[in-house]
Amino acid sequence: TTPEPWGGVFLGIDWNSKHFEVGDTVRLYWKSYPSKNGSGEHFDVTDVWFDHRLTSDDRDIGVAQIQILPFNPLITLPGLVAEWGSAVVSYRLYKATGPTGLSLRKLIYIDLKRPGGGTCLGPSSKM
């Protein structure tokens, strides 16, 4: 995969021309789970958020791209469970002027197992 996932996974939020404006802030909430459907208890160290100020570049391409780092533990913990793990994400829009809004939750499947065997953990991996 290019870019390599251990350098940061990117999530894209479609630009919502009805609500998004340059200068607003999107806060993406992330929790990783050892289940494939985002159920049960999440991994404690994966309850995080990422702030991204919306730019004219985001508007022009139609997507706000938010980098998810660090790869370990946010991706590796759910990616190494028996079948596969998951993450649950949502975001809150903080308007530069006006009220905020919260998105629906979205389930993301995470699987780091390679089809031919082994796992995808980056260049320092011994697996």
Side-chain angles (χ1 to χ4, degrees), residues 95-118:
K95 300 290 294 170
T97 58
T100 69
L102 186 62
S103 75
L104 297 175
R105 295 170 22 128
K106 176 80 174 165
L107 178 66
I108 299 171
Y109 299 110
I110 302 174
D111 182 2
L112 296 176
K113 293 163 196 70
R114 295 176 188 252

Side-chain angles (χ1 to χ4, degrees), residues 3-4 7 12 23 34 53-55 78 81 93 106:
E4 294 86 359
R53 184 167 298 250
L54 298 174
T55 67
V81 297
L93 175 65
K106 176 80 174 165

